[in-house]
Amino acid sequence: MDIRENLAQIGEELKQELAQTDASQALEALRVKVLGKKGSLTALLRGMGQLSPEERPKMGQMINEAREKLTALLDEKQAQLAAREKEMRLAAEAIDITEPRDLPPIGAEHPIQLVLNEVLSCFEGLGFQVAEGPEVELDKFNFELLNLPKNHPARDAQDTFYIDDNIVLRTHTSPVQARTMLTKKPPIRIVCPGRVFRADEVDATHSPVFHQIEGLVIDKDVTMADLKGTLDAFAKRLYGSDIDVRFRPSFFPFTEPSAEVDLTCFNCHGQGCRVCKGTGWIEVLGCGMVNPKVLEMCGIDSSVYSGFAFGIGLERITMLRYGIKDMRLLYEGDLRFLKQFR
Amino acid sequence: MKVSMKWLKQYADIPMTPAEYESRMIMTGTGVEGIEPLGEIENVVVGRVLTCRDHENSDHLHVCTVDVGEAEPLQIVCGAPNVKEGILVPVAKIGARLPGGVVIKKGKLRGVESQGMLCSGPEIGVPVELYPSVGTAGLLIFQEEYPLGADVRPIFGLDDTVIDFEILANRPDCLSVWGVARETAAAMGTELKLPEIKVQEVGGDIHDFARVDVLESELCPRYAAKVVKNVRIGPSPAWLRQYLYAAGMRSINNVVDITNFIMLETGHPMHAFDLSKVRGKHIIVRKAESGEKLTTLDGKEYALNGTELMICDEMGPTGLAGIMGGEESEITESTKEVLFECASFDRASIRITARALGIRTESSGRFERGVSPATVMDALNRACQMVNELDAGDVVSGVIDLYPQPVQPATLTVSCVRMARRAGVDIAPEEMEKILKKLLFQVERSGDQMVITAPAFRQDVDQEADICEEVLRYAGYDRIPITHLRGETPMGGNNDKGTRQQLIRRQLTGMGFYESMTFSFISSKAIAQLGLPKEDERNKPLMVRNPLGEDTACMRTTLLPGLLKTLATNIKNGNENGRIYEMGTIFDAQHRTADGLPTELPGLALGMYGNVDFYAIRGVVEALCQQAGISCTIASCDEPYLHPGRRAALKVNDQVLAVVGEMHPDAAARFDLSGRCYVAQVNLPVFFAASRPMGTVNSIARFPAVNRDLALVMKESQQVGPLMDAIRHGCGALLEDIRMFDVFRGIQIGAGNKSVAFSLTYRAADHTLTEEEINRQTEKALKIAKEQFGAVLRA
């Protein structure tokens, strides 16, 4: 049998054996059997010594070509096996993707804080700077500089907690207005969020502690239309572009003219429903042009500057926003409630 | 303020539906709380009992036939004791509606069909004020003849509508029918038809009947009086009783009703004295003398402290000025001479006295908000006109009117352009003038300038901004356009504290914490439950002078009681694995600001329970510190409400940044906490001061790190932290990190010992470390461990 035939036979045998091999171990044995030191192809190479010098290069080339071919066959099979083995491993690793597991812990900010964040972001975008003032406040800032002298009946609307004759728990965030005007020069554009206190017993719609956000703008030629525009932007940002604002005449000692502001009912979009008591409007905040007397008391020339102020009750807009029926839920801290704001 | 629609319509037409009227009034600044029919009855008519026989199956029921003006009489079963043939009574027909939503249906009573109900006064909501002979037992029997089948509502004045106005604090003049009529006429564009006031006097001279001295003219700027003699006390006519009823007031007698009518109609509270009971017939307006007493009309006795403004006679007090009259000089059946008082009192004085004595009347409410002295005589004369009309007595000629400093009407000059600019609405000067005149202002306009005189009843107008509001509310707030702020735009944004607090909130959210909010005030008891040493400043909170109760008595000096209450609520409600925090202000009353205010500090308190331990809560605080670039040391702490073996202070720069620990079982029990709870309190000012702003970034090391693990055996009592700190400091720059990864206890290492495994990471910035360098470092670490802490390499 000449080498050529041998090579053909080796190739044929390998093909047959490869067809029956289905494990990488067996494949490796096969590789050794053919290409290893004692393998059949290696034996042929060794037998080349008996060939004539003329035949050797020719045969050598033939054997090398055969080796490449056989190696390719083995490699191809190896790749096939590896792919199949990976597939089997992946199949074996399959899991029940519907089994429940604990989630990574995630908390939530308080709903009032969530709404405040949105309100602040809206006003910050309009160029308002956040300002703060003390929660325990001088009567002077809480009332007197806001045109609410001692024994003024308008103080009745704000049942006040007193520390002593001169110190109160602030009944609104408006004293921050006075503090700001006394220390800053116009133009002023601030919002002041914070806690306020009124001597109301706790029930579904009252709490002795609640939150407001106050806004104040002082500049030359500020008009009530600018106030309406600012609040319109706020309303649309918070509740949607189909929400309009309506001003109604009202009275606050520190603004003149004053207005109560209604927004289109976001439950019924103005059609009239239970939430808005059929009116299509929801009362949300009070506002007005800063009373010139307040400007003067706070050292701002009312013949040069004008301004507006507004005060928003955060509990109210939070409750409206999320459909919360009972204010007490906001202060109990029950996780079954708080978890709904994740 | 409730007003009869009939009364109001006497003075101003309302040519629109109630809903349209309500809306128009609201949009011009007069709030309307509701418009309700006065009587809640329908289909109740006048009927005559034709026959009345005993019910065959009852010992108290009667079977009647009743003529209600229809072809056939109705058969009605009635149980009233006073039912009899011939009487005229209210009959609720089938389908009638009665107060409380009762609907009358056809029915059988003990086998006899009944086609309606004969009614008593209470059954149709008619009190004695509306029909004096209403009686209390049995049927209401009409005293006069009325057509059979006629609706009964007009007979009682129940065919009226009551409007409940919500009057703004600056418009006390609108606490009157005339006031809302003026606003109504202006809003409707209809004519204001106030009555012409004419008084018929019988001669004589008031000064022969009475004398008045005002000793406190500051507190009583005007005091006017008229005298009526030959007084004929009796019931008021039906229309007057009905108006008072609609306003929610009781009818007393014609003279007292006149004073209440005048108050409701004009806004001027009045008082009527029985002149024969005014000792010396001399009214003296003065402050009370300390120790004086007065029994008011309602029979209550008040001891006076000397600050109250009183109406007195020569023997002593006879009324609380502007608040309530005295029992002594009350109008009675036998009153023959009456002195009518119409005055103006200082708002603050009335308010202080009314509050101090705990009395609030229709009168004091009006005086507190301001009654114009300028219009006093209109009210007083109108009262006398009513005396004429009701024939309640003879008005003596002359008036006592003590008004030393007449109030001048407010006159101001305003600019139309400035007002339009303030409003942001283009309102022409002509329109402004027209509106103001409609509101009874006197206006003299030349071009842009208007000289304006406010009507006498308006005390709330003294600057251009006030006029601007008057113009705008009638021009229409709906005309205000939407414009945007112009001019220099300041940089908007949050302040530093707010930004940092928000960052902490976000990080805590990511760590599974829920934010809670509790009240800023707590009870002293809640603070005491912490068991702090007596001298601790948290035991000395800022006290509220007028708390609602014990729970709102003092301002919180720590967030902990509020947080613990929240944790207890959640544990009680079965909520598992709680992680809750509160960020809020705490109040330090011991360190005051220059203004004398308490120091307000931002605080943060965290609480956890469930599948957690001491290290979990400490880790949360450490994680917050890490984010803020703060490296803190762990030190002991002695907060008594924490477990003595599981509490720590985290310190930075020798200041306590946070206190963390497990709740002491005793304190936990005091706060109703079942199970172990872990809490932390972060001192945010210290936290913020130590926070590192985002600085430069270190480049990443290019040379490899090498790890060496060491297991060191040490005494159980040896704290790991100080040992790690010592190695960290002792090994120098090549030691990049030291980490503890295991603690082992067992007999192999001896009782009372623990084996702690550390992983040390070495790295040089500029070369690959040699084996020799690494070994030298490790030797150094082992030496520190052995020499300073008695910790040896585990065999």
Side-chain angles (χ1 to χ4, degrees), chain B residues 170 172-173 347 369-373 455-462:
Chain B
N170 62 331
D173 61 295
R347 307 193 323 192
R369 293 170 74 172
V371 170
S372 170
F457 53 86
R458 292 295 295 268
Q459 294 181 287
D460 61 308
V461 179
D462 62 3

Side-chain angles (χ1 to χ4, degrees), chain B residues 164-185:
Chain B
D164 192 357
F165 290 104
E166 190 187 7
I167 303 302
L168 295 170
N170 62 331
R171 293 301 304 275
D173 61 295
C174 283
L175 290 168
S176 67
V177 179
W178 285 0
V180 291
R182 286 189 289 255
E183 289 292 324
T184 299

Side-chain angles (χ1 to χ4, degrees), chain A residues 105-110 112-113 117 120 124 126-138 141 151-156 159-165 167 169 179 187-189 195 197-202 207-209 211 217 219 221-226 228-230 232-233 245-251 256-259 289-293 306 308 330-336 338-339 342, chain B residues 26-29 168-170 347-348 351-352 355 360 368-369 421-424 462-463 465-466 468-469 472-473 477-495 497 501-502 505-506 508-521 542-548 552 555-556 566 569-570 573 575-582 585 587 592 595-598 600 609:
Chain A
I106 185 91
E109 290 173 37
H110 193 277
I112 291 176
Q113 187 65 40
N117 294 344
L120 284 183
E124 284 170 23
L126 293 171
F128 285 74
Q129 180 72 236
V130 179
E132 273 189 307
E135 294 174 22
V136 179
E137 183 56 283
L138 293 175
F141 291 114
N151 290 308
H152 192 282
R155 287 191 179 200
D156 279 351
D159 273 334
T160 309
F161 285 116
Y162 285 89
I163 300 299
D164 59 34
D165 284 346
I167 300 180
L169 304 190
R179 284 182 174 271
I188 294 171
R189 238 182 245 195
R195 283 196 164 194
F197 307 86
R198 290 189 195 172
D200 281 326
E201 295 287 350
V202 177
S207 167
V209 178
H211 296 77
V217 170
D219 204 344
D221 292 331
V222 175
T223 76
M224 199 133 171
D226 299 335
K228 205 176 198 177
T230 302
D232 182 71
V245 294
R246 178 177 83 165
F247 276 26
R248 269 186 291 121
S250 189
F251 170 73
E256 192 76 40
S258 306
M289 300 300 292
V290 180
N291 193 319
K293 290 175 188 165
S306 58
F308 63 71
L330 296 170
Y331 295 102
E332 273 167 5
D334 192 312
L335 286 166
R336 291 168 296 177
L338 296 176
K339 284 187 175 180
R342 278 190 288 212
Chain B
I26 286 172
M27 291 309 288
T28 54
L168 295 170
N170 62 331
R347 307 193 323 192
R351 182 180 150 91
I352 290 166
R355 295 212 141 196
R360 206 187 134 71
E368 279 182 34
R369 293 170 74 172
R421 200 191 301 150
R422 183 176 187 82
D462 62 3
Q463 55 175 345
D466 300 331
C468 176
E469 180 173 77
L472 188 56
R473 68 193 177 96
Y477 272 39
D478 283 345
R479 272 170 65 185
I480 304 170
I482 284 174
T483 59
H484 296 289
L485 287 168
R486 299 157 303 276
E488 190 184 327
T489 305
M491 175 70 80
N494 210 329
N495 55 25
K497 178 180 151 220
Q501 285 184 330
Q502 199 49 33
R505 281 197 183 88
R506 293 208 186 107
L508 287 173
T509 299
M511 289 190 264
F513 276 79
Y514 291 89
E515 183 177 18
S516 70
M517 289 186 180
T518 65
F519 288 174
S520 306
F521 20 59
L542 190 69
M543 303 302 293
V544 178
R545 190 170 72 183
N546 56 333
L548 290 174
T552 60
M555 303 308 287
R556 60 188 178 190
T566 306
T569 303
N570 279 290
N573 291 345
N575 301 328
E576 291 173 352
N577 290 320
R579 293 173 176 222
I580 296 173
Y581 73 97
E582 175 164 12
T585 308
F587 302 84
R592 301 285 180 135
D595 284 338
L597 295 174
E600 297 188 11
Y609 63 83

